[in-house]
Amino acid sequence: MKKTILIIGGTGAQGVPVVKALASDAKYNVRVITRNASSKEAQDLATIPGVAIHEGNAYDEMTLRQAFKGINGVFVNTNGLAIGEKAEIYWGIRLYELSREFGLEHFVYSSLEYASKLGNFQSKYRCFLDAKGKVADYISAQPTAPMAWSVLTACTYMESLTELLRPTPDPSDPTTLVFAAPLGSAKFPLLHLEDYGKYVRWAFDTPARSNGLNLHVGTEDVNWSDLAATFTEMTGKKAVYKDFTLDEYFSRGTVPDPERKVGHSADPNDSTLLTYRESYGGFWSCWKDELSKRDYDLLDEILPTRIKSVREWMKKTGYSGEAKSVLKDYRDRTVMRKVSNMT
């Protein structure tokens, strides 16, 4: 009989390619939990054979108990930018506990780097990545039987080059596009979203290999000067890299409302919440100091067909540097800010 996989976070930028990869043939049924079954993202997924939409709040115990009935495995991608660090840690662990209670065969968790831990818990590295890393540590301490577990530690999406990381015209020379980041000469790992879905499919397909594994996935570690040069080569558009300080980076307006707390659906008075300035400061510090490495030879072995470079991705997607919305949470916050500014 076909196995049914529940997806937490299935309508987001990361979740959609996961759903598509699992539903790409007749091996799995896919159940996607979402707050709004009538949203465009949910409706698009519902047209895929083998995909069913379960309307409800993924951060509600009773809703989860209904969604967990009759499933064999679960993929979990919680949204800390919405619910905040404390809630993300709680729900990551609680979802694991429910999976054990319901006798699931396989629990696959979407993680991020535990930046503070990699940086010896120095405050300069503390950021929104940490919550998932803490949950990944908890999962990694659990037995690999009777329920298999796998952790896939992602990094920044390559598709963010059309949004948060996209180039903008140089004010002094509008014919030149500027890739700006507070990275110095460091290499920054990027991940093609479509391949991420395939890694999740691999984890469910090969539990003998993926059980007990924390796989750090990515496409390429990219030097931003090389990124600008590759962009010029592929598009014919002049581009340069400008290294900014963190203060200069935030003054550009790339991160909306830097003094706002991370966790837009959490209590804004919660003293444990970081501001976007604090959180993204830790984020960029982690990558500038190159605290994390990926084993690309292992990734080639697991997924030989993967996109292997930013050049290959640009060619595949026809990347031109134009703006395109990728992160639903970022898009929703931007809309909310515009509405707020008009009232």
Side-chain angles (χ1 to χ4, degrees), residues 193-213:
L193 277 169
E194 184 178 324
D195 283 344
Y196 185 83
K198 295 175 182 178
Y199 286 119
V200 174
R201 173 66 188 255
W202 171 84
F204 281 111
D205 281 351
T206 59
R209 180 82 184 276
S210 68
N211 187 13
L213 177 67

Side-chain angles (χ1 to χ4, degrees), residues 178-224:
V178 176
F179 286 90
L183 278 171
S185 60
K187 291 186 174 182
F188 182 77
L190 293 172
L191 170 65
H192 179 33
L193 277 169
E194 184 178 324
D195 283 344
Y196 185 83
K198 295 175 182 178
Y199 286 119
V200 174
R201 173 66 188 255
W202 171 84
F204 281 111
D205 281 351
T206 59
R209 180 82 184 276
S210 68
N211 187 13
L213 177 67
N214 185 342
L215 182 67
H216 292 243
V217 296
T219 297
E220 183 185 22
D221 291 353
V222 182
N223 176 279
W224 238 233

Side-chain angles (χ1 to χ4, degrees), residues 36-49:
N36 184 6
S38 62
S39 70
K40 182 182 184 303
E41 294 85 359
Q43 289 294 303
D44 287 346
L45 291 178
T47 66
I48 302 174

Side-chain angles (χ1 to χ4, degrees), residues 298-316:
L298 174 60
L299 297 179
D300 286 341
E301 177 190 340
I302 290 172
L303 190 62
T305 61
R306 75 179 185 88
I307 295 292
K308 297 180 175 63
S309 68
V310 68
R311 180 192 306 272
E312 188 178 349
W313 175 81
M314 286 183 180
K315 182 177 180 180
K316 174 186 175 182

Side-chain angles (χ1 to χ4, degrees), residues 70-81:
I71 66 171
N72 304 94
V74 62
F75 169 78
V76 173
N77 180 27
T78 51
N79 186 358
L81 292 177

Side-chain angles (χ1 to χ4, degrees), residues 246-247 249-262 274-280 337:
L246 284 172
D247 285 341
Y249 172 78
F250 288 115
S251 70
R252 288 172 56 85
T254 306
V255 177
D257 307 322
E259 306 311 324
R260 187 175 181 176
K261 297 292 184 68
V262 177
L274 299 177
T275 66
Y276 276 87
R277 183 183 299 276
E278 292 168 329
S279 194
Y280 273 89
R337 189 177 74 258

